[in-house]
Amino acid sequence: ADKEITFAGKAAVQVFGGPLVPVSVSVQVGAGVTKFGEPTDFLGELTVTTIPIGVGIGINVPTPGASIEPWIAPRLQVTRVSSSLPGLSSNTDTNVGISAGLNVGFASGLGLHLAVDYLNVTGAGAEDPITFGIGLHYTFKLPGIGVPMVPGV
């Protein structure tokens, strides 16, 4: 019944590719922090910090009337677990993960995302999680050369 909130952020920089190049490569890094439990619990309040560092590779398949982009993103994932109780040691694990998916966008602005994620978790009794995702998006397009339009300016 407990609810935890994760505070997270990410950044990505495209290092190769563009509108005329069908392959794009980006470097990605993120960080997330989640707290579990209470300071009065047996193990104290646990803090889990996750830092994924990876590379994303996408291929834009030229298709009339739609944009189709399969992608893959291998990563190194650093996870640190620490307790608020003095004397309990922290634990840091480094694992390898990979995500892959397909983005489809239509001329109407509607789009679809499909993805799967796998993380190779080390440790006794650890299970390797596989996550599937699906999503929709809508892209709003402004007329002109892509510069946002501000009324009165």
Side-chain angles (χ1 to χ4, degrees):
D2 291 341
K3 294 189 178 11
E4 289 80 23
I5 296 174
T6 300
F7 294 96
K10 68 174 186 169
V13 175
Q14 185 173 342
V15 294
F16 179 79
L20 300 178
V21 180
V23 177
S24 63
V25 178
S26 64
V27 177
Q28 305 167 0
V29 65
V33 176
T34 307
K35 294 191 178 196
F36 297 92
E38 300 293 328
T40 56
D41 289 348
F42 174 70
L43 293 174
E45 182 180 59
L46 296 178
T47 301
V48 179
T49 305
T50 305
I51 303 171
I53 304 164
V55 174
I57 302 165
I59 300 172
N60 190 357
V61 179
T63 309
S67 84
I68 299 175
E69 182 183 22
W71 58 269
I72 190 164
R75 72 181 180 281
L76 184 68
Q77 185 152 321
V78 180
T79 304
R80 180 175 177 80
V81 179
S82 58
S83 172
S84 63
L85 294 179
L88 286 181
S89 64
S90 298
N91 184 29
T92 303
D93 288 326
T94 303
N95 299 304
V96 176
I98 189 164
S99 300
L102 179 69
N103 299 336
V104 179
F106 300 102
S108 66
L110 186 64
L112 172 71
H113 302 287
L114 302 169
V116 62
D117 180 77
Y118 170 79
L119 182 63
N120 183 14
V121 180
T122 58
E127 292 185 23
D128 298 344
I130 298 176
T131 306
F132 296 93
I134 184 169
L136 292 172
H137 76 272
Y138 187 81
T139 302
F140 294 95
K141 299 177 184 176
L142 296 176
I145 59 172
V147 177
M149 303 202 42
V150 180
V153 176

mmCIF file with all atom_site columns, all heavy atoms in Angstrom, residues 3 18 43 76 80 109 121 132 145 153:
data_model
loop_
_atom_site.group_PDB
_atom_site.id
_atom_site.type_symbol
_atom_site.label_atom_id
_atom_site.label_alt_id
_atom_site.label_comp_id
_atom_site.label_asym_id
_atom_site.label_entity_id
_atom_site.label_seq_id
_atom_site.pdbx_PDB_ins_code
_atom_site.Cartn_x
_atom_site.Cartn_y
_atom_site.Cartn_z
_atom_site.occupancy
_atom_site.B_iso_or_equiv
_atom_site.pdbx_formal_charge
_atom_site.auth_seq_id
_atom_site.auth_comp_id
_atom_site.auth_asym_id
_atom_site.auth_atom_id
_atom_site.pdbx_PDB_model_num
ATOM 1  N N   . LYS A 1 3   ? 3.328  4.067   -1.311  1.00 0.00 ? 3   LYS A N   1
ATOM 2  C CA  . LYS A 1 3   ? 3.549  4.658   -2.626  1.00 0.00 ? 3   LYS A CA  1
ATOM 3  C C   . LYS A 1 3   ? 4.898  5.355   -2.608  1.00 0.00 ? 3   LYS A C   1
ATOM 4  O O   . LYS A 1 3   ? 5.206  6.112   -1.696  1.00 0.00 ? 3   LYS A O   1
ATOM 5  C CB  . LYS A 1 3   ? 2.436  5.640   -2.955  1.00 0.00 ? 3   LYS A CB  1
ATOM 6  C CG  . LYS A 1 3   ? 1.089  4.964   -3.114  1.00 0.00 ? 3   LYS A CG  1
ATOM 7  C CD  . LYS A 1 3   ? 0.083  5.948   -3.648  1.00 0.00 ? 3   LYS A CD  1
ATOM 8  C CE  . LYS A 1 3   ? -1.258 5.431   -3.908  1.00 0.00 ? 3   LYS A CE  1
ATOM 9  N NZ  . LYS A 1 3   ? -1.773 4.249   -3.550  1.00 0.00 ? 3   LYS A NZ  1
ATOM 10 N N   . GLY A 1 18  ? 21.010 13.401  -39.273 1.00 0.00 ? 18  GLY A N   1
ATOM 11 C CA  . GLY A 1 18  ? 20.334 14.635  -39.641 1.00 0.00 ? 18  GLY A CA  1
ATOM 12 C C   . GLY A 1 18  ? 19.218 14.337  -40.607 1.00 0.00 ? 18  GLY A C   1
ATOM 13 O O   . GLY A 1 18  ? 18.925 13.179  -40.899 1.00 0.00 ? 18  GLY A O   1
ATOM 14 N N   . LEU A 1 43  ? 15.376 -1.676  8.291   1.00 0.00 ? 43  LEU A N   1
ATOM 15 C CA  . LEU A 1 43  ? 16.554 -1.321  7.481   1.00 0.00 ? 43  LEU A CA  1
ATOM 16 C C   . LEU A 1 43  ? 16.690 0.185   7.300   1.00 0.00 ? 43  LEU A C   1
ATOM 17 O O   . LEU A 1 43  ? 17.564 0.649   6.570   1.00 0.00 ? 43  LEU A O   1
ATOM 18 C CB  . LEU A 1 43  ? 16.485 -1.991  6.112   1.00 0.00 ? 43  LEU A CB  1
ATOM 19 C CG  . LEU A 1 43  ? 16.607 -3.508  6.106   1.00 0.00 ? 43  LEU A CG  1
ATOM 20 C CD1 . LEU A 1 43  ? 16.377 -4.052  4.711   1.00 0.00 ? 43  LEU A CD1 1
ATOM 21 C CD2 . LEU A 1 43  ? 17.951 -3.943  6.640   1.00 0.00 ? 43  LEU A CD2 1
ATOM 22 N N   . LEU A 1 76  ? 24.828 0.974   -20.027 1.00 0.00 ? 76  LEU A N   1
ATOM 23 C CA  . LEU A 1 76  ? 25.431 0.552   -18.768 1.00 0.00 ? 76  LEU A CA  1
ATOM 24 C C   . LEU A 1 76  ? 24.565 1.172   -17.680 1.00 0.00 ? 76  LEU A C   1
ATOM 25 O O   . LEU A 1 76  ? 24.277 2.373   -17.747 1.00 0.00 ? 76  LEU A O   1
ATOM 26 C CB  . LEU A 1 76  ? 26.868 1.072   -18.685 1.00 0.00 ? 76  LEU A CB  1
ATOM 27 C CG  . LEU A 1 76  ? 27.683 0.654   -17.489 1.00 0.00 ? 76  LEU A CG  1
ATOM 28 C CD1 . LEU A 1 76  ? 27.961 -0.844  -17.552 1.00 0.00 ? 76  LEU A CD1 1
ATOM 29 C CD2 . LEU A 1 76  ? 28.999 1.413   -17.483 1.00 0.00 ? 76  LEU A CD2 1
ATOM 30 N N   . ARG A 1 80  ? 22.759 2.206   -7.082  1.00 0.00 ? 80  ARG A N   1
ATOM 31 C CA  . ARG A 1 80  ? 23.311 2.281   -5.717  1.00 0.00 ? 80  ARG A CA  1
ATOM 32 C C   . ARG A 1 80  ? 22.147 2.244   -4.728  1.00 0.00 ? 80  ARG A C   1
ATOM 33 O O   . ARG A 1 80  ? 21.201 3.021   -4.837  1.00 0.00 ? 80  ARG A O   1
ATOM 34 C CB  . ARG A 1 80  ? 24.128 3.547   -5.534  1.00 0.00 ? 80  ARG A CB  1
ATOM 35 C CG  . ARG A 1 80  ? 24.725 3.688   -4.148  1.00 0.00 ? 80  ARG A CG  1
ATOM 36 C CD  . ARG A 1 80  ? 25.633 4.915   -4.082  1.00 0.00 ? 80  ARG A CD  1
ATOM 37 N NE  . ARG A 1 80  ? 26.167 5.139   -2.781  1.00 0.00 ? 80  ARG A NE  1
ATOM 38 C CZ  . ARG A 1 80  ? 27.204 4.511   -2.239  1.00 0.00 ? 80  ARG A CZ  1
ATOM 39 N NH1 . ARG A 1 80  ? 27.813 3.575   -2.939  1.00 0.00 ? 80  ARG A NH1 1
ATOM 40 N NH2 . ARG A 1 80  ? 27.632 4.793   -1.034  1.00 0.00 ? 80  ARG A NH2 1
ATOM 41 N N   . GLY A 1 109 ? -0.047 13.678  -37.953 1.00 0.00 ? 109 GLY A N   1
ATOM 42 C CA  . GLY A 1 109 ? 0.520  14.082  -36.671 1.00 0.00 ? 109 GLY A CA  1
ATOM 43 C C   . GLY A 1 109 ? 0.416  12.995  -35.621 1.00 0.00 ? 109 GLY A C   1
ATOM 44 O O   . GLY A 1 109 ? 1.072  13.049  -34.588 1.00 0.00 ? 109 GLY A O   1
ATOM 45 N N   . VAL A 1 121 ? 20.528 -8.343  -14.582 1.00 0.00 ? 121 VAL A N   1
ATOM 46 C CA  . VAL A 1 121 ? 20.768 -8.024  -13.176 1.00 0.00 ? 121 VAL A CA  1
ATOM 47 C C   . VAL A 1 121 ? 21.660 -9.089  -12.564 1.00 0.00 ? 121 VAL A C   1
ATOM 48 O O   . VAL A 1 121 ? 21.399 -10.281 -12.710 1.00 0.00 ? 121 VAL A O   1
ATOM 49 C CB  . VAL A 1 121 ? 19.433 -7.940  -12.403 1.00 0.00 ? 121 VAL A CB  1
ATOM 50 C CG1 . VAL A 1 121 ? 19.671 -7.616  -10.944 1.00 0.00 ? 121 VAL A CG1 1
ATOM 51 C CG2 . VAL A 1 121 ? 18.519 -6.905  -13.038 1.00 0.00 ? 121 VAL A CG2 1
ATOM 52 N N   . PHE A 1 132 ? 7.765  -4.256  -21.433 1.00 0.00 ? 132 PHE A N   1
ATOM 53 C CA  . PHE A 1 132 ? 7.200  -3.924  -22.734 1.00 0.00 ? 132 PHE A CA  1
ATOM 54 C C   . PHE A 1 132 ? 6.414  -2.622  -22.605 1.00 0.00 ? 132 PHE A C   1
ATOM 55 O O   . PHE A 1 132 ? 5.810  -2.363  -21.565 1.00 0.00 ? 132 PHE A O   1
ATOM 56 C CB  . PHE A 1 132 ? 6.259  -5.036  -23.223 1.00 0.00 ? 132 PHE A CB  1
ATOM 57 C CG  . PHE A 1 132 ? 6.944  -6.339  -23.468 1.00 0.00 ? 132 PHE A CG  1
ATOM 58 C CD1 . PHE A 1 132 ? 7.011  -7.301  -22.480 1.00 0.00 ? 132 PHE A CD1 1
ATOM 59 C CD2 . PHE A 1 132 ? 7.537  -6.598  -24.690 1.00 0.00 ? 132 PHE A CD2 1
ATOM 60 C CE1 . PHE A 1 132 ? 7.655  -8.507  -22.692 1.00 0.00 ? 132 PHE A CE1 1
ATOM 61 C CE2 . PHE A 1 132 ? 8.188  -7.799  -24.924 1.00 0.00 ? 132 PHE A CE2 1
ATOM 62 C CZ  . PHE A 1 132 ? 8.245  -8.758  -23.917 1.00 0.00 ? 132 PHE A CZ  1
ATOM 63 N N   . ILE A 1 145 ? 8.902  27.965  -40.863 1.00 0.00 ? 145 ILE A N   1
ATOM 64 C CA  . ILE A 1 145 ? 10.172 27.230  -40.856 1.00 0.00 ? 145 ILE A CA  1
ATOM 65 C C   . ILE A 1 145 ? 10.452 26.579  -39.505 1.00 0.00 ? 145 ILE A C   1
ATOM 66 O O   . ILE A 1 145 ? 11.574 26.250  -39.188 1.00 0.00 ? 145 ILE A O   1
ATOM 67 C CB  . ILE A 1 145 ? 11.330 28.167  -41.254 1.00 0.00 ? 145 ILE A CB  1
ATOM 68 C CG1 . ILE A 1 145 ? 11.411 29.339  -40.295 1.00 0.00 ? 145 ILE A CG1 1
ATOM 69 C CG2 . ILE A 1 145 ? 11.177 28.604  -42.688 1.00 0.00 ? 145 ILE A CG2 1
ATOM 70 C CD1 . ILE A 1 145 ? 12.643 30.193  -40.506 1.00 0.00 ? 145 ILE A CD1 1
ATOM 71 N N   . VAL A 1 153 ? 4.402  39.755  -31.361 1.00 0.00 ? 153 VAL A N   1
ATOM 72 C CA  . VAL A 1 153 ? 5.846  40.011  -31.442 1.00 0.00 ? 153 VAL A CA  1
ATOM 73 C C   . VAL A 1 153 ? 6.231  40.224  -32.887 1.00 0.00 ? 153 VAL A C   1
ATOM 74 O O   . VAL A 1 153 ? 5.814  39.596  -33.782 1.00 0.00 ? 153 VAL A O   1
ATOM 75 C CB  . VAL A 1 153 ? 6.669  38.855  -30.843 1.00 0.00 ? 153 VAL A CB  1
ATOM 76 C CG1 . VAL A 1 153 ? 8.143  39.098  -31.017 1.00 0.00 ? 153 VAL A CG1 1
ATOM 77 C CG2 . VAL A 1 153 ? 6.324  38.694  -29.383 1.00 0.00 ? 153 VAL A CG2 1
#
